[in-house]
Amino acid sequence: MSMERLQKYMASLGIDSRRGCEMLIVQGRVTIEGRLAVLGDKVDPGVTLVCLDGEPLGQYSREELVYVALYKPAGYVTTAQDERGRATVLDLVSDIPERLVPVGRLDMDTEGLLLLTNDGDLTYHLTHPRYGVEKEYVAKVKKIPGLEELECLRRGVMLEDGLTHPAWAEVLSNGLVRLVIHEGRKHQVKRMLASVGCPLSALRRTRIGSLSLSGLRRGEYRFLTQNEVDRLREDCRNIRNGETK
């Protein structure tokens, strides 16, 4: 018997990210052998009867793992479904048969690199705060930050939800601002720039860990190579072990 944590098992079936599966469990939507599941439960894959909303997970199979880099345009929401009927990022990869999950989120008006996959383990490691994988953004701002504002960003700024970690911040030659952060708070880059008096008018994510946006145009996607996937996994391990890139 090979027991596996319930949320990890669900994520491996492509149902959602591991954290997303944890939420399904907390919401009381998952049962094990007829009883309500709780966080911490373990199952024997392929043997234990697990149901989501009353439907056995046997309808899902362990798909071949797929990794997709997408250049998300502005105007798309980063979710699988939108109750308001807006276009989602999955509409841009609708010809891919596997059930993909966005890794993290980009605001509707933010464009740039988005990773989609059915690999629940990698999704977990790239989005969990403890791993602190770098995310790089380029912002068009309404006011160019000076040295004082840049130093504030580099030290960390106080937001409503607490002090941010230090960021790499610089003004590019074309007047844009490049910001590299290790967190994933809601609207974080937008709020950081606003807090130093330099509100943004447009934002693009250009890198996640070692994976860059290079070679893609708006709305385009490509499959990652095995080497790129291995490097993303290494990004998570290096940060966890306190190494620098």
Side-chain angles (χ1 to χ4, degrees), residues 143 145 148-150 152-153 157 191-199:
K143 174 193 169 187
E148 184 177 344
E149 289 85 4
L150 290 174
C152 286
L153 295 168
V157 296
R191 291 190 292 144
M192 288 178 70
L193 287 168
S195 74
V196 297
C198 303

Side-chain angles (χ1 to χ4, degrees), residues 23-222:
M23 287 303 301
L24 294 174
I25 297 168
V26 170
Q27 291 165 1
R29 297 173 57 185
V30 183
T31 60
I32 299 175
E33 300 290 353
R35 69 165 177 83
L36 199 63
V38 296
L39 290 179
D41 278 338
K42 293 186 176 182
V43 297
D44 186 0
V47 176
T48 308
L49 175 61
V50 180
C51 294
L52 172 63
D53 295 332
E55 296 294 327
L57 294 192
Q59 63 181 303
Y60 299 93
S61 60
R62 291 181 184 261
E63 301 171 311
E64 177 183 353
L65 295 179
V66 175
Y67 308 86
V68 173
L70 169 71
Y71 190 150
K72 174 195 171 299
Y76 287 80
V77 293
T78 309
T79 185
Q81 293 182 330
D82 183 67
E83 41 188 47
R84 294 167 57 184
R86 295 172 296 182
T88 79
V89 292
L90 293 189
D91 294 329
L92 298 169
V93 294
S94 59
D95 56 332
I96 300 177
E98 286 82 7
R99 180 188 176 101
L100 301 180
V101 173
V103 179
R105 291 183 180 273
L106 287 178
D107 296 340
M108 184 174 181
D109 56 353
T110 299
E111 63 177 33
L113 179 62
L114 184 67
L115 178 64
L116 301 103
T117 183
N118 55 357
D119 185 337
D121 282 338
L122 183 59
T123 298
Y124 173 78
H125 285 90
L126 288 175
T127 56
H128 197 288
R130 80 171 69 173
Y131 295 97
V133 176
E134 289 184 349
K135 287 92 175 176
E136 178 183 283
Y137 296 83
V138 173
K140 181 179 180 181
V141 290
K142 297 177 182 178
K143 174 193 169 187
I144 302 298
L147 290 178
E148 184 177 344
E149 289 85 4
L150 290 174
E151 282 305 312
C152 286
L153 295 168
R154 292 165 183 166
R155 289 194 303 266
V157 296
M158 182 61 69
L159 302 177
E160 312 89 87
D161 50 356
L163 185 69
T164 67
H165 290 174
W168 174 258
E170 65 176 346
V171 176
L172 303 178
S173 58
N174 52 8
L176 300 174
V177 176
R178 183 169 77 100
L179 213 63
V180 180
I181 62 174
H182 301 267
E183 302 171 277
R185 305 189 200 182
K186 188 173 183 180
H187 307 310
Q188 182 172 344
V189 173
K190 184 182 298 185
R191 291 190 292 144
M192 288 178 70
L193 287 168
S195 74
V196 297
C198 303
L200 61 81
S201 56
L203 184 63
R204 179 173 75 252
R205 182 160 67 191
T206 54
R207 181 170 61 84
I208 301 171
S210 56
L211 182 65
S212 80
L213 189 61
S214 178
L216 287 174
R217 293 181 294 183
R218 288 180 181 86
E220 289 185 341
Y221 73 81
R222 66 174 179 82

